[in-house]
Amino acid sequence: RSLTVRGRVRPEGVLRMFGGDVAFMDLDAAQQAFGDPDLVHWVDVVVQPGHSVDGVRTELQRFIAGRGVVDSPAGRGRRIESMLSLLRALLTLTGVIAMLVGVFLIHHAVSTSLLQRRPDLVRLKAFGLSRAMLVAYLLAEAAVLGLLASAVGLAVGVGFWFLAAGDF
């Protein structure tokens, strides 16, 4: 699509981050080109040295007359942060529930394993193994299996992270 550019800005100061790709065009044309003819999402204003930021903000608020919000980038960040706080809380709650489910699954697996291996454990006790040695044996076995499963889980998680973050 062909656009009419009214002027360019020298990439100085904050505008250097755009690599010189900053231009002026008519607001109506910009709204039509970017698909929202009734709304300006935001306009960045850079205050010249020697001018008061609060004075410029007050003047812009008077000019806009309630049709928009005049805010600093930090204020915009605070608004976005407040919107994302609920999402963060929900993700934390989901993580806690997933951990509890994992604890119950581990408990069930260990209980089932002990029930299935009960005859073997009774035989070991009959051969003279003390209760403390049986507990130590079972704890050592659970620890070794837990370490192996954690290593596999870590490797799979890191592999998934490389796949998921590859585009970023």
Side-chain angles (χ1 to χ4, degrees):
R1 173 182 320 179
S2 175
L3 301 173
T4 301
V5 175
R6 299 289 181 195
R8 291 182 54 91
V9 179
R10 274 178 290 174
E12 294 178 358
V14 179
L15 297 177
R16 276 186 287 186
M17 73 177 155
F18 297 111
D21 295 332
V22 178
F24 291 105
M25 62 186 293
D26 295 328
L27 181 59
D28 294 335
Q31 288 173 326
Q32 287 291 355
F34 300 117
D36 205 349
D38 297 328
L39 183 65
V40 175
H41 292 283
W42 78 66
V43 175
D44 291 327
V45 176
V46 178
V47 178
Q48 291 181 348
H51 289 82
S52 166
V53 173
D54 292 329
V56 171
R57 180 181 291 131
T58 303
E59 193 64 27
L60 283 172
Q61 286 172 336
R62 185 185 61 74
F63 178 75
I64 291 175
R67 293 175 295 187
V69 176
V70 178
D71 203 357
S72 66
R76 192 167 49 234
R78 283 190 296 272
R79 283 198 320 270
I80 291 171
E81 179 68 28
S82 69
M83 287 187 284
L84 292 177
S85 65
L86 176 63
L87 177 62
R88 186 179 300 115
L90 290 174
L91 288 174
T92 301
L93 181 65
T94 303
V96 168
I97 291 172
M99 185 180 70
L100 290 173
V101 168
V103 166
F104 286 124
L105 287 174
I106 291 169
H107 177 267
H108 178 71
V110 169
S111 297
T112 303
S113 173
L114 287 175
L115 285 176
Q116 289 177 346
R117 296 173 60 192
R118 189 175 190 140
D120 297 332
L121 297 175
V122 169
R123 280 190 211 105
L124 287 174
K125 182 97 168 130
F127 287 139
L129 236 53
S130 68
R131 182 178 181 88
M133 290 183 75
L134 277 175
V135 169
Y137 165 72
L138 292 173
L139 287 176
E141 182 182 80
V144 168
L145 288 175
L147 287 173
L148 288 173
S150 295
V152 169
L154 184 64
V156 169
V158 169
F160 178 73
W161 175 74
F162 274 115
L163 287 174
D167 292 336
F168 297 106

